[in-house]
Each structure stands twice: as C-alpha cells, then as structure tokens.
C-alpha cells in the first residue's frame, strides 16, 4: 500500500499522482513541488534558476497552489533549501520522487 498523500488517477493503463486539492495543508511541500515541476517536464537536469523562474510563472497562474508556491519559494530563496526540493526530481519528465521515496508519474501539465 502506498504512503503517498494525494490522488491516484488511472488513465488507460497508466497511474498518475496528483495532490489532494481538498487537503493541500496535509500534503508535503516537496510533493506539491514535485507534482508541479514534473508536470511541467522539469527534471534533475534543469538549472536551478530555470526552476525558480518556472515557480514564479506558476505562482502567477495558479490560485489553488499560489500560497504553497510562496512557501516553496521562501524556503528556496531565504533558506537555500533548493536541493531539498530538486533532490526529488527525476531524470525523466513527468516523474518525481515523493516525500515518501516513491517514484510517481504525473500528467503532462506543460500546456498550462
């Protein structure tokens, strides 16, 4: 049984993770970061400055995740915690390592 806090969606034969938007306060900021970044196709191979720029872009477009993105940006910019987040990115687009250490797939959100 999975320890991931979020929704597991089945699309054909593929299973996708998404955070439980009804309980984002109960979701790790690492999992929110991983979901948003992996959904944009960002991997461990992207530069940190690019990742921060993408967070700012998503911040401007999202009402659901805006306050959580603010927290992530604060942790990265004020406390230098970017590696705590980027360590959870995968080397493949649309995948990330959850706060529980599980590799999950996410739907492609790059159209956003």
């Amino acid at each position: 049984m999975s320890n991931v806090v979020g929704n597991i969606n089945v699309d054909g034969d593929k299973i996708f993770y998404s955070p439980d938007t009804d309980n984002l306060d109960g979701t790790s900021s690492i999992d929110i970061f991983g979901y948003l970044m992996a959904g944009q196709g960002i991997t461990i191979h992207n530069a940190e400055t690019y990742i921060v720029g993408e967070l700012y872009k998503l911040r401007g477009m999202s009402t659901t995740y805006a306050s959580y993105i603010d927290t992530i940006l604060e942790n990265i910019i004020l406390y230098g915690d970017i590696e705590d987040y980027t360590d959870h990115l995968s080397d493949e687009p649309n995948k990330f390592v959850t706060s529980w250490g599980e590799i999950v797939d996410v739907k492609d959100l790059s159209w956003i």
Side-chain angles (χ1 to χ4, degrees):
M1 183 163 147
S2 175
N3 292 318
V4 176
V5 176
N7 297 317
I8 303 298
N9 305 297
V10 179
D11 186 2
D13 63 347
K14 191 108 171 159
I15 299 172
F16 296 100
Y17 167 84
S18 66
D20 179 359
T21 54
D22 293 329
N23 184 26
L24 284 175
D25 288 340
T27 303
S28 164
S29 65
I30 287 171
D31 293 341
I32 292 171
F33 171 85
Y35 169 73
L36 294 172
M37 294 295 97
Q40 295 295 315
I42 293 173
T43 68
I44 58 173
H45 304 293
N46 290 101
E48 292 176 354
T49 53
Y50 178 78
I51 291 169
V52 170
E54 288 299 301
L55 283 168
Y56 273 107
K57 277 199 314 194
L58 289 171
R59 166 63 180 89
M61 295 187 298
S62 175
T63 55
T64 303
Y65 295 101
S67 66
Y68 300 94
I69 294 171
D70 284 343
T71 299
I72 293 166
L73 286 167
E74 182 177 304
N75 289 339
I76 290 171
I77 295 167
L78 294 180
Y79 304 111
D81 293 343
I82 193 159
E83 287 180 0
D84 292 345
Y85 289 99
T86 58
D87 284 350
H88 289 270
L89 294 174
S90 169
D91 62 349
E92 296 179 57
N94 306 111
K95 291 185 180 201
F96 77 97
V97 180
T98 69
S99 58
W100 288 92
E102 297 179 48
I103 297 174
V104 295
D105 292 292
V106 300
K107 285 194 173 193
D108 181 357
L109 304 172
S110 61
W111 55 269
I112 296 177

